[in-house]
Amino acid sequence: MYKVIDLIEGKRVTVEATLNEWTAKGYEPFQVIRRATYSWRLIFRKTATSDGN
């Protein structure tokens, strides 16, 4: 299963923090695309070792 997140970086939201958050939820980064200054599309896929939540 894949999860797509469109992200606008700011003072409180960073790519690194978002990557860490979704990794903790059992997803691994699949693709990171820079769309414009401070704008990103992050694509994650569920890891095989996750519990399905």
Side-chain angles (χ1 to χ4, degrees):
M1 179 164 87
Y2 290 88
K3 182 79 170 172
V4 177
I5 298 173
D6 288 323
L7 179 75
I8 304 293
E9 273 191 295
K11 291 182 180 180
R12 295 183 210 158
V13 178
T14 65
V15 171
E16 183 178 4
T18 305
L19 289 171
N20 290 336
E21 175 186 349
W22 284 95
T23 299
K25 292 180 180 181
Y27 288 84
E28 65 180 7
F30 178 73
Q31 190 171 23
V32 177
I33 304 164
R34 185 174 188 158
R35 300 177 62 181
T37 304
Y38 305 113
S39 178
W40 299 82
R41 175 163 285 163
L42 309 177
I43 303 173
F44 296 90
R45 66 177 164 200
K46 197 74 161 167
T47 59
T49 59
S50 62
D51 61 3
N53 290 330

